[in-house]
């Protein structure tokens, strides 16, 4: 790895033709210390990046040619490698990149779970289980102290991020109790990836509200593991994701067992204390309600919690932009911390509203 | 009441300037036995109905003048009265209508709960508690045998309809166990009514995913009561509704305690048996997923259920068009059964897709 | 051909897996005299129709198996054949169907233009030019008298329908003058067909306003020819279509040279006179503005015209549902007239609003 | 006026509770040289800005209290005043602000036209006609040389900006000829302002395509005047605006008389030459089509032109974000040039796509 902290750190974005890859390039365009020098993809090799992402045409990196996913070339060109390919690709590619001294921030799910979970939840046997122990689960607000100098970061999934940020402090404080947490997730269509299909067409999606992949979504064990890492106790998660007709935005609604005599104010005070100085977490006031729209284009997450003493339930809500705090933005936040930069470098809190 | 079963039953629609009122007129336009003869509203009295609902211009009732909510005039003009005003109005108006011999189908929440529930959940003391015992809770698939000859029907809410239809048979069969059912609801904007506000503007809504009124939504006790009426056992309901950017459509996701050793096939077989001959309930095949879009403009409800043995949870999903099966369509279905007509008379199963 | 006018006329829908094909089946489900007996497609042969169009599951024809496009089998099974395949297919298939005695209503562009126009505007040499003279251009409000007993109907395109209906009477009356008419078209995404592509994905479309195929759209010569057929004079058409983020709906805005001293009232009176008794044309009042939404799911077209004396321009606006009046509904209207049925049979004026 | 060019120029945003006002604050939050020190409004005085614009909560200016529109207080607090109130307010307020030495950038239409045009197009007699001659029409790409040191800038309207930028160079070069230009405009709903109404509700807008205010839209004479200022020749403009279901985005389609023998390449070369070094104008390649979505959140305008030799027409298309290049962004670009700063300071070219 090259020396960190100087003015220009070089970065590769692999999987640059997808949504998360495009968002990485878009966000890094204004990053003062990281410069994209390599864009890799499986398809469209040889095209300029702006040909596959026309909105990147005004950016310097828009003129870069898409190159193959060759680890030696990548490591030669980049201090930091963001891997944003489909699940299963980075598990095979990362070891070579790491071996060449690159830092790897993986946006796929390839380093988020223990080895034994992959066959069931991802449908493949993990090819490099030894590296799983090296990976830091990159939720900076909870595990930021493990990031400086890390070599391999498992960037969290879009649904687990608000669930863990919202529930872990309450679990740790004992305000919600161990047991089962029921998680209802809603996501915009960019979460389904860029490849066209009838199900993700405008004609099929506009006017649609659809659940999917219940109960086997791969973010289920990630939520359980992230909560255990953060709070020391592992609730069982039941997770039901849904597609709703918007492009960006995730909102998660968690139903968790409330400690008796706990009020909404108790829940919110706990969250506000934990995230007091964190630039990207907004704990809402009582009665205010989260809105995925207010996070669009930003690295913000909004958290709300409500106590329902009638049923003994805490309803914990989180909202974010799945391509920023749920993917590319959090990856950059992780890279900043790995590299010793302020975590907010190059990241926005300015939502494009309305 | 006039003689039932003849070719033309006269109907009044009160609250005709709202969304449910407009939908009642739209649907009744092709009803072979019911004719709208009176349209009443608090505002716009004197205008023709098509002036406040331009899409009704091609219909006969579009030319009717909006009249005041005078019970004598209404009862004089109509055998059946559909009350679709804001909550609290029909509680005061219905007794006079009933006293004059009209049949009342109430689309508000004014006759759905026991008297003691109104102050807490609706914010008013019920003015006519004696009539609450007379009201039939109009979920035709479960309580249809109580409808013939009824005088006062409490038309169910848009969220309770799919929750009760989906969970009651499973509860009764013991496939889901008494306890707490966590209900996550998603609704389109027509559920918020027609009155303009910033929160329901296009600029605020497009791109938005927003929870609201947690935990005090008035459909909570209605779900509990409807399940108790149907299944004889009353689970506790925790209900979290959300607005998603579409106009029509409700989708509810229920997390309920699963009886051990119960499979997805068991759940679906139970539902399919109960609703075998019901024209408006579609129990989906395993793996198929409900979609609110496929119910648009129809009186259909789609039901899906999935067993998650890992956590011991049944996930029960229902979808419908909140203005049809969730309001005006179900009201007509109820009226049909009260009047001795086939329940599907004048109602559609033909969704405007895509 | 079988005897026409009896209670059940059999129909085939070819191209049944597409949007127009699905809409034909949906609409014919409630047609009292026409029954779908054959559904044909190039793909998915052997599947039941409801497998490729789940919203058709509640309909009788939803259970029909998709069959190959074999002309003998089709003609043996159907009195009327609706061809809704991609452009170029029906030109080859129709002659055999016609030869076997079937009536053909073609929803593609294969019989709308003179032979010499096909290479330029459709990119193919017409294989059966002799049949072009036999085809009736099926705009029932203008050419309805040619339809009874016709064998081959060229069903108009979605953009030409409102343009010709709006401008032809004004041209014929001399209220707009020969010259150039500039036509700006806006369409929802269902107009782009069902095949998935990145450009028609929800992620690419939501928030997008996009022109396309300027100046070579194949509806350009169709507008010119339809106006000439109807008004006896052929203006030059300049046509610029655009995709806007909705599923159904076309709105066309025509800028035409106004005869001096002509007022908005003159324009509207002319249109109102011509369409006085036509069930599907709504000529709006001065100041009212057309809205594609008010036509959704219906066979209606809304027309508006405004005189701008400052510039000597008539602005003529039309709106319709591209899958109904712009395709399947108009095809059924044509079939009704061919078969001697009332033109509105089986067609709706009840828009699903909001 | 205070000394210009130092690190911190103070700014007031009047009309801060509206969409353009909110966007000004959002964009200025990252401006290195201009700081918002005063936010004024007619309503909500006393509230903090973030209470009326929750998405501004993470920004410094989000904590500012909304103050009354008192010219002395405003001028005392701000070097530059952005007036973003409804039409008619700044005409009355600006002279006092100017008299106190503030620079005024007016986002309303109050200083865009000659005095005699106001009664007809805006419905009021201009109260301060003498100031109209002082105002610079702030289209930086065409009139940027008049901006340094200006005192009063009339910031252009959202529709005139792409029309003038697209057509003026072609007119001046003689590639399009004097005569009539037909302009079809499409805009998202934020162009209709923030005040709630039924017409701008989500329920009324989703699925809708609607023309409005034809032929009297006040941007008509602004297009004519801007073209005359830039090209020395004044075509007649016929303008038909439409609302389409998106929040941000304007796309204009102009039909103009083409000089014979002019090709698409001629048109594009002319535009490319004029805007070669301008950071916010993207002239597209032949065949590429403009998309309002690619400008969202940015100060970019996309231009496309197509020659149709068949009809002798140039079709000139422009797209932008109506709240940025069509309002707040262009206002900041103007302020930058007035103040001697690089025009792109604080402005983005990074569109939030998808």
């Amino acid at each position: 790895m090259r020396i960190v902290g100087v003015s220009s750190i070089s970065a590769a974005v692999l999987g640059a033709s997808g949504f998360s890859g495009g968002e990485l390039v878009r966000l890094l365009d204004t990053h003062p210390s990281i410069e994209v020098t390599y864009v890799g993809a499986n398809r469209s090799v040889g095209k300029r990046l702006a040909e596959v992402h026309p909105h990147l045409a005004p950016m310097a990196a828009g003129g870069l040619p898409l190159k193959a996913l060759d680890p030696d070339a990548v490591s030669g060109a980049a201090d930091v490698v963001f891997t944003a390919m489909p699940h299963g690709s980075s598990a095979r590619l990362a070891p070579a990149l790491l071996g060449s001294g690159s830092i790897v921030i993986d946006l796929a799910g390839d380093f988020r779970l223990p080895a034994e979970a992959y066959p069931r939840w991802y449908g493949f046997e993990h090819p490099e289980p030894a590296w799983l122990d090296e990976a830091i689960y990159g939720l900076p607000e909870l595990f930021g102290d493990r990031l400086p100098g890390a070599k391999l970061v498992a960037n969290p999934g879009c649904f687990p991020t608000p669930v863990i940020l919202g529930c872990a402090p309450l679990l740790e404080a004992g305000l919600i109790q161990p047991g089962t947490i029921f998680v209802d997730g809603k996501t915009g269509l960019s979460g389904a990836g860029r490849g066209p299909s009838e199900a993700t067409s405008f004609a099929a999606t506009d006017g649609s509200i659809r659940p999917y992949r219940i109960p086997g979504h791969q973010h289920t064990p990630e939520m359980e593991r992230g909560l255990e890492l953060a709070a020391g106790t592992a609730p069982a998660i039941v997770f039901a994701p849904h597609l709703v007709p918007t492009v960006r935005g995730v909102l998660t609604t968690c139903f968790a067992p409330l400690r008796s005599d706990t009020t909404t104010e108790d829940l919110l005070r706990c969250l506000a204390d934990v995230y007091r100085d964190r630039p990207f977490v907004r704990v809402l006031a009582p009665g205010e309600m989260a809105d995925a729209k207010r996070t669009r284009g930003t690295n913000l997450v909004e958290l709300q919690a409500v106590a329902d003493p009638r049923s003994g339930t805490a309803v914990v809500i989180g909202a974010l932009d799945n391509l920023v705090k749920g993917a590319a933005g959090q990856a950059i936040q992780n890279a900043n911390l790995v590299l010793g930069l302020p975590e907010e470098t190059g990241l926005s809190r300015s939502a494009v509203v309305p």
Side-chain angles (χ1 to χ4, degrees), chain A:
Chain A
M1 198 192 73
R2 287 149 202 80
I3 300 158
V4 157
V6 299
S7 61
S8 188
I9 296 146
S10 57
V13 174
L14 306 188
S17 60
F19 285 147
S20 293
E23 192 71 353
L24 280 161
V25 173
R26 184 179 82 83
L27 294 171
L28 289 171
D29 182 61
T30 53
H31 196 292
S33 306
I34 301 179
E35 184 188 4
V36 175
T37 54
Y38 191 103
V39 289
N42 273 313
R43 299 187 193 169
S44 308
V45 172
K47 288 192 180 177
R48 287 181 310 106
L49 183 59
E51 290 180 79
V52 300
H53 285 299
H55 70 292
L56 300 181
M59 299 177 189
L64 293 176
L66 282 164
K67 295 187 179 170
L69 301 175
D70 171 42
D72 287 345
V74 172
S75 284
D79 304 316
V80 182
V81 183
F82 296 94
T83 50
M85 291 99 69
H87 301 307
S89 297
S90 46
R92 288 189 303 272
L93 199 64
L97 297 167
L98 291 159
S100 301
S102 293
I103 296 165
V104 174
I105 316 283
D106 182 36
L107 284 79
D110 292 16
F111 295 97
R112 297 178 191 160
L113 298 181
E116 62 271 21
Y118 281 91
R120 171 171 184 173
W121 296 98
Y122 280 94
F124 64 84
E125 196 76 42
H126 202 284
E128 300 281 350
W131 278 101
L132 290 169
D133 293 335
E134 301 291 315
I136 304 300
Y137 188 67
L139 205 44
E141 286 80 6
L142 295 176
F143 311 118
D145 55 350
R146 306 179 197 183
L147 287 165
K151 302 219 168 303
L152 172 59
V153 176
N155 204 58
C158 55
F159 287 120
T161 293
V163 168
I164 301 168
L165 289 176
C167 294
L170 303 177
L171 261 178
E172 196 176 9
L175 299 179
I176 61 179
Q177 300 178 303
T180 298
I181 301 181
F182 300 91
V183 180
D184 189 283
K186 299 98 187 153
T187 182
L189 268 285
S190 59
R194 196 178 182 190
S197 72
E198 195 191 345
T200 59
S201 70
F202 188 86
T205 299
D206 188 58
S208 171
I209 315 175
R210 289 171 289 180
Y212 67 99
R213 216 179 307 166
I214 299 174
H217 195 286
Q218 72 276 6
H219 286 174
T220 309
E222 184 182 338
M223 293 176 195
E224 293 177 347
R225 191 185 193 213
L227 287 170
E228 184 168 28
L229 281 173
T233 172
I237 294 285
V238 182
F239 177 45
H242 301 75
L243 285 169
V244 297
T246 188
V247 175
R248 290 174 179 237
V250 152
L251 189 135
T252 52
T253 306
C254 303
F255 302 89
L258 184 73
R259 192 189 65 185
S260 61
D261 297 326
T262 303
T263 65
T264 294
E265 287 68 26
D266 295 335
L267 298 173
L268 291 174
R269 197 177 310 116
C270 170
L271 292 172
D273 284 349
V274 168
Y275 298 120
R276 184 168 310 284
D277 298 316
R278 307 314 300 245
F280 297 119
V281 182
R282 286 193 64 216
V283 179
L284 299 177
E288 240 186 316
M289 273 296 169
D291 188 346
K293 178 168 182 146
R294 277 197 304 263
T295 68
R296 190 165 53 183
T298 78
N299 202 47
L300 291 168
V301 58
E302 290 195 353
L303 296 180
Q304 179 55 281
V306 180
D308 180 20
R310 178 178 179 268
S311 64
T313 305
V315 183
V316 183
I317 291 164
L320 50 71
D321 181 328
N322 54 300
L323 293 181
V324 190
K325 184 63 177 171
Q330 185 147 271
I332 294 170
Q333 189 182 2
N334 280 316
N336 288 337
L337 290 169
V338 167
L339 296 164
L341 300 168
E343 67 179 319
E344 64 269 36
T345 311
L347 295 168
S348 170
R349 304 195 298 167
S350 170
V352 180
V353 171

